[in-house]
């Protein structure tokens, strides 16, 4: 069975718990891509921004090649919630595949809140094996950016694990 959500092969699905436990948790991203997602959070302040990280899975790491902005369709609580329209997500994924890229993660901002995942973030995260990057935006300025790997084997045991964000130039 293939993990269609993240485009991982059967080896990853079968051995995901072992693989994640025994490899460095790391998101590789360029300074320009990191700056782009942080700038997005500043531009949408005091609302949450959101987007998709495109790249490749390289062993136990995710390597970001491109940051794609998405519209936050969560109109009832723009200041502390986000949602990416499924149709927009499918379009982004199709365009990525045409260029040989995969969805390796997602990002969003936390206006005037820490760059830590919330219970809502976990409840609404479903792409096991992908990174979830959060930037805390304080008074309109991007502050801390953290990344978390959504680990687990199913919806019932999914959880976030802190992961290192490494600059790849």
């Amino acid at each position: 069975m293939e993990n269609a959500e993240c485009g991982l092969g059967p080896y990853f699905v079968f051995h995901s718990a072992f693989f994640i436990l025994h490899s460095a948790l790391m998101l590789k991203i360029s300074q320009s891509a990191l700056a782009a997602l942080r700038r997005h959070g500043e531009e949408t302040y005091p609302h949450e921004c959101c987007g998709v990280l495109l790249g490749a899975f390289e062993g136990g790491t995710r390597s970001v090649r491109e940051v794609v902005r998405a519209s936050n369709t969560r109109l009832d609580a723009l200041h502390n919630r986000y949602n990416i329209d499924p149709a927009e997500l499918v379009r982004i994924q199709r365009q990525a595949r045409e260029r040989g890229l995969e969805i390796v993660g997602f990002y969003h901002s936390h206006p005037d809140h820490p760059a830590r995942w919330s219970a809502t973030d976990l409840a609404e995260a479903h792409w096991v094996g992908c990174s979830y990057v959060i930037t805390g935006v304080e008074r309109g300025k991007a502050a801390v950016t953290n990344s978390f790997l959504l680990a687990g084997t199913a919806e019932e045991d999914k959880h976030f694990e802190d992961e290192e964000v490494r600059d790849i130039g």
Side-chain angles (χ1 to χ4, degrees):
M1 173 191 301
E2 182 176 338
N3 181 343
E5 292 179 338
C6 283
L8 301 175
Y11 179 81
F12 183 86
V13 173
F14 182 75
H15 297 286
S16 63
F18 173 86
F19 194 70
I20 290 169
L21 287 173
H22 293 86
S23 63
L25 300 178
M26 184 185 313
L27 176 70
K28 295 179 179 177
I29 187 168
S30 69
Q31 279 297 316
S32 62
L34 186 60
L37 68 87
R38 290 170 54 85
R39 187 172 43 254
H40 190 196
E42 292 175 345
E43 291 172 7
T44 62
Y45 181 88
H47 301 143
E48 287 197 10
C49 74
C50 55
V52 181
L53 306 174
L54 303 179
F57 293 93
E58 299 171 346
T61 67
R62 287 137 307 283
S63 183
V64 176
R65 304 278 194 276
E66 188 177 325
V67 172
V68 179
R69 291 181 178 203
S71 299
N72 184 354
T73 61
R74 188 70 188 262
L75 301 178
D76 61 324
L78 283 168
H79 65 288
N80 64 0
R81 298 284 186 269
Y82 78 96
N83 182 64
I84 299 173
D85 183 316
E88 184 177 17
L89 187 56
V90 167
R91 180 187 51 77
I92 291 169
Q93 187 174 34
R94 283 186 182 148
Q95 291 173 346
R97 285 182 175 165
E98 291 171 3
R99 298 192 316 276
L101 300 173
E102 299 178 79
I103 293 176
V104 298
F106 302 89
Y107 71 91
H108 72 280
S109 61
H110 279 179
D112 296 320
H113 286 279
R116 300 292 307 170
W117 58 271
S118 67
T120 300
D121 292 334
L122 179 59
E124 296 182 358
H126 305 291
W127 292 56
V128 173
C130 286
S131 295
Y132 285 76
V133 174
I134 301 172
T135 297
V137 180
E138 299 173 3
R139 298 182 184 155
K141 293 288 183 194
V144 175
T145 298
N146 290 317
S147 186
F148 309 93
L149 173 69
L150 185 62
T153 58
E155 190 70 20
E156 296 74 28
D157 71 346
K158 70 179 181 181
H159 58 280
F160 281 125
E161 296 184 13
D162 293 355
E163 69 178 352
E164 177 186 355
V165 177
R166 182 171 291 179
D167 176 14
I168 56 171

